[in-house]
């Protein structure tokens, strides 16, 4: 049985209920985070809480809890759910007013929800042979740096991948690569790692940071800059990264091979660094 937290109460997830007038339900008016947990330790919790604050500030919603309280509640959820490795999901919505009105209600209590799911890492064959991706225009709004629960565009874009037998959809806006439907995307050209810069067009991924830190620590040449669509398509390697997918090689884009059509040497190196980092630092709570 999964245990969740809802508005001050710990309860079985299956029994968690929110009112139909909640603005999260009516408008997707909320913020969320997904925090990977290794050996029962939340990975980079302060960084996730910092990104949560950035989202809440961006949508003008006061943080209902301080970091110490978030840390305590997340620890409680981890302790009460099965599995050494978990994926903690938290969401805050602007709450339920009696009326449906686009503008914010004057006084309303936010809804706070936390749950945990098993952390399922990708199947080994995705790492060994790579995954297929499809591309699409990035039709989302211009605040993709905010992790809001208004995810319909991302859902449609990810569904496009599923419908075409792919794992992810790579998004291009105005001739440049932004990110994936639910991941960040890196390219490799001539041994140099290329990363789109953090700005309002992409989510500042925690895994993105880890990959850039590992690249710097191991002196892998790296350029954080805009990546043109043509460059991405002609790259030697493409990778997707997220808290739940870790780092995966993309070997096919729109039915065409990326590089040799097999996971590249730089990916294999990064994967090894990442796994080592996971065993030594993430499992140690770093
Ligand atoms: N999504 N970009 C988008 C649009 C994302 O939805 C995600 C993650 C990322 C990667 O961020 P991170 O490395 O911090 O997981 C980038 C999560 C996993 C989700 O919505 O379930």
């Amino acid at each position: 049985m999964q245990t969740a937290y809802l508005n001050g109460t710990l309860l079985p997830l299956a029994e968690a209920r929110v009112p139909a007038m909640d603005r999260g339900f009516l408008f997707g008016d909320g913020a969320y985070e997904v925090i990977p947990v290794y050996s029962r330790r939340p990975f980079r919790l302060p960084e996730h809480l910092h990104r949560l604050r950035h989202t809440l500030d961006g949508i003008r919603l006061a943080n209902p809890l301080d970091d110490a309280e978030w840390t305590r509640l997340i620890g409680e959820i981890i302790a009460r759910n099965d599995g050494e490795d978990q994926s903690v999901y938290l969401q805050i919505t602007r709450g339920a007013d009696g009326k449906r009105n686009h503008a914010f209600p004057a006084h309303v209590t936010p809804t706070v929800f936390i749950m945990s799911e098993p952390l399922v890492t990708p199947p080994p064959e995705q790492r060994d042979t790579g995954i297929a991706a499809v591309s699409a225009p990035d039709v989302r709004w211009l605040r993709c740096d905010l992790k809001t629960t208004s995810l319909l565009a991302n859902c449609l874009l990810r569904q496009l991948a599923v419908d075409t037998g792919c794992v992810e959809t790579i998004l291009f806006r105005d001739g440049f690569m932004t990110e994936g439907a639910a991941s960040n995307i890196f390219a490799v050209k001539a041994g140099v790692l290329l990363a789109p810069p953090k700005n309002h067009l992409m989510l500042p991924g925690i895994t993105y940071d880890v990959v850039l830190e590992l690249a710097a620590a191991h002196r892998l040449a790296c350029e954080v800059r805009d990546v043109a669509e043509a460059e991405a398509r002609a790259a030697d390697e493409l990778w997707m990264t997220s808290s739940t997918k870790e780092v995966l090689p993309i070997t096919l884009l729109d039915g065409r091979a990326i590089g040799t059509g097999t996971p590249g040497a730089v990916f294999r190196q990064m994967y090894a660094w990442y796994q080592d980092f996971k065993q030594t630092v993430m499992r140690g709570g770093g």
Side-chain angles (χ1 to χ4, degrees), residues 132-155:
V134 64
S135 70
D138 193 342
V139 293
R140 301 172 303 162
W141 71 335
L142 294 173
R143 291 307 307 273
C144 296
D145 55 315
L146 304 179
K147 207 161 171 61
T148 77
T149 57
S150 310
L151 284 173
L152 185 53
N154 300 68
C155 293

Side-chain angles (χ1 to χ4, degrees), residues 41-181:
R41 295 183 166 99
F43 179 59
R44 295 211 168 164
L45 186 52
E47 287 81 353
H48 280 278
L49 293 177
H50 181 267
R51 186 170 67 182
L52 177 66
R53 265 197 310 278
H54 174 73
T55 303
L56 290 170
D57 288 347
I59 67 170
R60 297 169 58 189
L61 179 51
N63 196 337
L65 303 172
D66 63 22
D67 282 7
E69 190 63 2
W70 279 119
T71 302
R72 192 185 69 73
L73 289 174
I74 290 165
E76 189 86 20
I77 286 295
I78 294 168
R80 285 172 186 262
N81 282 283
D82 290 340
E84 293 297 292
D85 293 358
Q86 303 178 22
S87 173
V88 168
Y89 174 89
L90 65 86
Q91 114 163 31
I92 304 136
T93 76
R94 210 176 304 270
D97 186 21
K99 297 176 287 298
R100 180 181 176 278
N101 182 356
H102 285 63
F104 307 158
H107 305 288
V108 70
T109 308
T111 300
V112 179
F113 173 61
I114 313 174
M115 68 164 173
S116 172
E117 295 180 307
L119 180 64
V120 183
T121 46
E125 55 273 19
Q126 291 193 344
R127 173 201 62 205
D128 295 340
T129 56
I131 58 152
V134 64
S135 70
D138 193 342
V139 293
R140 301 172 303 162
W141 71 335
L142 294 173
R143 291 307 307 273
C144 296
D145 55 315
L146 304 179
K147 207 161 171 61
T148 77
T149 57
S150 310
L151 284 173
L152 185 53
N154 300 68
C155 293
L156 286 164
L157 291 163
R158 178 52 81 80
Q159 187 58 36
L160 174 69
V162 173
D163 292 346
T164 50
C166 296
V167 171
E168 183 58 304
T169 302
I170 298 183
L171 307 178
F172 295 110
R173 193 194 288 264
D174 299 331
F176 292 94
M177 179 169 79
T178 52
E179 59 177 341

Side-chain angles (χ1 to χ4, degrees), residues 260-282:
T260 60
T262 56
V266 186
F267 166 76
R268 290 201 305 275
Q269 185 61 79
M270 179 55 72
Y271 184 83
W273 292 334
Y274 195 92
Q275 293 308 313
D276 180 59
F277 182 78
K278 189 160 107 178
Q279 292 310 324
T280 55
V281 179
M282 294 177 172

Side-chain angles (χ1 to χ4, degrees), residues 171-202:
L171 307 178
F172 295 110
R173 193 194 288 264
D174 299 331
F176 292 94
M177 179 169 79
T178 52
E179 59 177 341
S183 63
N184 292 115
I185 309 288
F186 289 83
V188 176
K189 188 70 181 177
V192 179
L193 182 62
L194 306 178
K198 287 183 184 176
N199 58 28
H200 61 292
L201 300 179
M202 69 168 237

